[in-house]
Amino acid sequence: MADFDAIVVGSGLAGAVAAHELARAGKGVLVVERGNQAGSKNVSGGRLYTHSLAAVFPGYASEAPLERRITHERIGFLAPDAGFTVDFTSDGLRAEGRDSYSVLRAPFDQWLASQAEDAGAEYICGIPVEDLLMEGSRVTGIVAGEDEITADAVLLCDGVNSLLTRKAVGYAGPTPEATAVGIKEVIKLDPQVIEDRLLVPEGEGAAWLFAGDATHGVPGGGFVYTNKESLSIGLVVPIADLLTGETPIYQLLDDFKRHQVVAPLIKGGEVIEHSGHMVPEGGWDAMPKLVGDGVLVAGDAAMMCLNLAYTVRGMDYAIAAGMHAGRAAAEALTAGDTSAAGLQGYVKALENSFVLQDLRQFRKVPHFISGTKRIFDTYPAVIRDFFEKLFIVDSNPTAPVRKAGFAAAKQAGLLNLARDMKGALSSL
Amino acid sequence: MKTIAPITVNVPSLLAGNKYAVDEDHAHIELSPGPSADEFRKLVMVCPAALYRLDEQNAQSFDYAGCLECGTCRVACGNTVIAKWEYPRPTMGVEYRQG
Ligand SMILES: Cc1cc2nc3c(=O)[nH]c(=O)nc-3n(C[C@H](O)[C@H](O)[C@H](O)COP(=O)(O)OP(=O)(O)OC[C@H]3O[C@@H](n4cnc5c(N)ncnc54)[C@H](O)[C@@H]3O)c2cc1C
Ligand code: SF4
């Protein structure tokens, strides 16, 4: 007999939720997390869409350590010497269960882990799982520190930098094309200053994503999220694309912080943390097998993340995938069959949910974004030139708006513009 | 080797706010000896902690203390000059308080 019904590797979002569901179903579950506490190795942007959290924890709004409800959505296009921002706000962004919140992963993941523990999951923290026990192609347990621990099902929720998916399900990735590097700083500021600078009501917040000079024209983007008492600021750049440029990721971040649109937001703030973490961006085509004999893969470890440029989503997918993985593993354990066939319920549940439907729907986005460099260099300059024609008034006769628009479009190349519009429409 | 833009930011001072338990007697990342200039440039470009460095004479250096455990160098050069990439030993490494 195995030591546990199930072992969950990693107590991020997918892992803690999977463990919670297994424990709630009465299964004996052990969570092994390499951080000294859950969350202490984890980084996100981050904005969490609450719908998938609400499905597991209906009382989340008053119980979970959330930062600010995001009620302003901003998208900024930066040229080196100019910036253009769209700002959207709406009461629709305040509807519980359809809203989103900024989160900080250290406190958030600890709360999530405490929910799993309260439901009955056992925890070992501070020790990485180094290896998997196998019998033929079947995963039968883990090796952590001096210990070998067996289980009928092992759930790999160990994130984008999984060192275990290769052995478990034969995953050859992640590749530099399908993975981005994220760099982030948390900058401490007075809550009132945050609200005044970001133009948000008391207690509410903004998500602001940037394209263009945020990455000096290589594909990628910048972000600013408001927390209660800090701003999260950072960049996400596909590794392969970053290598085509000349500026290292940390210098890109420093340059972004100095851009005239960004600098006033963080002025006088203190950097209290500087972090790095990868982001799976390859989408559907970069995913590993989701089940094998005795094993399931969920969240970033399965590359369940989408960067659509106007938003990044991985946290709500990880929570939903963790929920389905935990529930399907519990059912397979009850049925006494945790072979790949016995665990197919997990794949089916994901196929019937937004997780795999979204990943399939937006399958072409990563190729479109990385393949359309004009979004990052040409178009921000075109936008600048158009608005300069509109807003700069001097003693020359004023050209009509349509003429300014046409001149700007021509500068990008009408054919390119048409092609890129078509690409955007067919992938997004 | 393709050029690298001038570096003006002082990353060590930005890392000063982080909490670490540095494992002094065990390197969790190791490079194979004598990485080519092109492969080493990749590491310089991608490491968010600026731990791979080139000095004015283009001499290479790497210090695993300060590692953010992101794995980016593994993905960029795991098939070439990163000879070993493990997670730090139990309880060691970075400890994020914000995340
Ligand atoms: C800079 C950045 C910005 C982002 N912005 C957003 C955003 O705004 N919105 C959004 O929804 N998503 C965002 N994402 C993506 C999101 O953070 C991830 O998709 C999400 O965290 C995935 O959760 P997870 O549970 O799968 O993995 P993780 O949260 O990475 O959890 C993995 C866990 O496994 C542990 N672990 C790993 N290996 C081992 C081992 N061998 N033994 C034991 N434990 C191990 C880790 O310590 C960790 O606790 C962003 C990511 C980054 C890096
Ligand atoms: S794991 Fe990340 S922080 Fe550590 S050396 Fe590699 S790239 Fe740098």
Side-chain angles (χ1 to χ4, degrees):
Chain A
M1 227 187 90
D3 300 324
F4 287 88
D5 293 328
I7 294 174
V8 177
V9 184
S11 187
L13 305 175
V17 172
H20 178 267
E21 295 303 291
L22 278 155
R24 206 155 64 165
K27 304 301 175 192
V29 50
L30 172 70
V31 183
V32 185
E33 163 55 48
R34 70 183 192 88
N36 287 332
Q37 290 113 35
S40 71
K41 301 289 188 184
N42 299 348
V43 180
S44 194
R47 168 247 293 278
L48 170 67
Y49 293 98
T50 57
H51 63 106
S52 55
L53 190 63
V56 185
F57 305 104
Y60 77 91
S62 57
E63 293 162 19
L66 304 167
E67 292 291 320
R68 289 173 185 263
R69 181 186 263 162
I70 303 299
T71 58
H72 276 262
E73 301 283 350
R74 296 199 176 108
I75 301 177
F77 295 92
L78 303 183
D81 56 346
F84 171 71
T85 291
V86 186
D87 178 4
F88 177 74
T89 188
S90 151
D91 285 344
L93 298 170
R94 297 188 176 89
E96 198 173 307
R98 299 175 65 198
D99 51 355
S100 69
Y101 280 82
S102 50
V103 292
L104 291 166
R105 293 294 298 277
F108 187 76
D109 288 16
Q110 279 179 48
W111 174 81
L112 217 51
S114 72
Q115 302 303 302
E117 271 192 287
D118 290 349
E122 284 186 48
Y123 260 74
I124 300 178
C125 284
I127 301 183
V129 171
E130 286 149 36
D131 201 359
L132 296 172
L133 300 173
M134 308 280 295
E135 269 169 31
S137 65
R138 188 186 173 89
V139 177
T140 56
I142 58 152
V143 181
E146 311 286 281
D147 298 317
E148 295 191 348
I149 312 173
T150 58
D152 292 323
V154 174
L155 290 83
L156 295 183
C157 304
D158 50 342
V160 56
N161 192 39
S162 173
L163 304 181
L164 304 170
T165 46
R166 178 181 296 255
K167 187 165 182 181
V169 292
Y171 184 51
T175 62
E177 289 73 28
T179 322
V181 51
I183 185 169
K184 170 178 166 182
E185 285 174 2
V186 178
I187 299 184
K188 196 170 165 52
L189 282 167
D190 191 66
Q192 174 107 47
V193 170
I194 292 172
E195 286 153 11
D196 292 349
R197 287 185 186 174
L198 275 293
L199 301 173
V200 292
E202 193 179 338
E204 298 188 355
W208 199 339
L209 299 183
F210 296 85
D213 196 55
T215 50
H216 291 341
V218 301
F223 61 82
V224 170
Y225 297 103
T226 53
N227 304 310
K228 280 186 181 140
E229 298 179 5
S230 61
L231 293 178
S232 290
I233 180 168
L235 302 174
V236 174
V237 188
I239 295 172
D241 292 315
L242 178 61
L243 295 173
T244 65
E246 302 215 317
T247 313
I249 187 74
Y250 49 91
Q251 185 65 46
L252 279 180
L253 177 60
D254 197 61
D255 295 349
F256 177 56
K257 285 164 66 182
R258 287 168 203 277
H259 192 282
Q260 60 177 314
V261 174
V262 179
L265 302 175
I266 57 173
K267 191 178 152 207
E270 182 200 350
V271 176
I272 54 173
E273 193 165 89
H274 177 101
S275 57
H277 199 284
M278 289 191 291
V279 190
E281 291 198 344
W284 178 266
D285 292 316
M287 292 177 73
K289 279 199 284 204
L290 299 177
V291 295
D293 290 329
V295 66
L296 305 86
V297 190
D300 270 11
M303 306 290 277
M304 292 171 184
C305 186
L306 274 178
N307 186 347
L308 300 178
Y310 60 90
T311 191
V312 181
R313 285 176 67 183
M315 292 197 277
D316 58 329
Y317 295 142
I319 289 172
M323 178 186 87
H324 289 304
R327 289 180 185 174
E331 280 168 22
L333 285 162
T334 303
D337 178 8
T338 53
S339 68
L343 294 170
Q344 275 303 317
Y346 170 50
V347 182
K348 287 213 186 78
L350 286 179
E351 276 170 353
N352 290 329
S353 84
F354 61 92
V355 179
L356 284 186
Q357 289 175 11
D358 284 358
L359 279 153
R360 194 182 280 127
Q361 171 69 37
F362 294 110
R363 179 176 192 170
K364 287 197 249 164
V365 171
H367 314 285
F368 170 68
I369 290 180
S370 275
T372 314
K373 215 172 155 269
R374 281 183 290 272
I375 303 171
F376 306 94
D377 49 19
T378 312
Y379 296 143
V382 169
I383 292 170
R384 173 199 58 206
D385 294 351
F386 173 74
F387 282 107
E388 284 190 345
K389 288 209 177 71
L390 206 64
F391 291 125
I392 297 177
V393 173
D394 58 18
S395 59
N396 291 311
T398 307
V401 175
R402 71 185 134 76
K403 225 171 144 190
F406 190 70
K410 232 171 109 183
Q411 180 191 340
L414 290 173
L415 210 64
N416 287 337
L417 198 62
R419 194 182 297 139
D420 295 345
M421 289 289 279
K422 190 166 164 258
L425 290 174
S426 79
S427 58
L428 290 167
Chain B
M1 187 186 79
K2 215 175 149 194
T3 53
I4 295 176
I7 306 301
T8 55
V9 59
N10 180 343
V11 181
S13 75
L14 294 166
L15 295 175
N18 289 5
K19 187 177 173 199
Y20 290 101
V22 179
D23 193 344
E24 304 285 356
D25 4 278
H26 180 86
H28 67 285
I29 300 172
E30 283 172 13
L31 291 178
S32 39
S36 72
D38 285 336
E39 285 305 302
F40 197 81
R41 177 187 187 273
K42 293 185 185 172
L43 299 168
V44 175
M45 290 291 291
V46 302
C47 174
L51 302 177
Y52 298 91
R53 294 177 162 268
L54 287 167
D55 68 11
E56 292 86 70
Q57 279 77 47
N58 272 338
Q60 304 168 347
S61 62
F62 169 62
D63 183 0
Y64 67 88
C67 179
L68 302 168
E69 300 162 33
C70 64
T72 310
C73 54
R74 180 178 84 91
V75 171
C77 297
N79 297 326
T80 57
V81 299
I82 298 287
K84 178 177 112 174
W85 200 106
E86 293 170 352
Y87 283 117
R89 293 193 293 185
T91 71
M92 306 306 262
V94 71
E95 187 156 340
Y96 291 126
R97 290 168 290 187
Q98 308 288 327

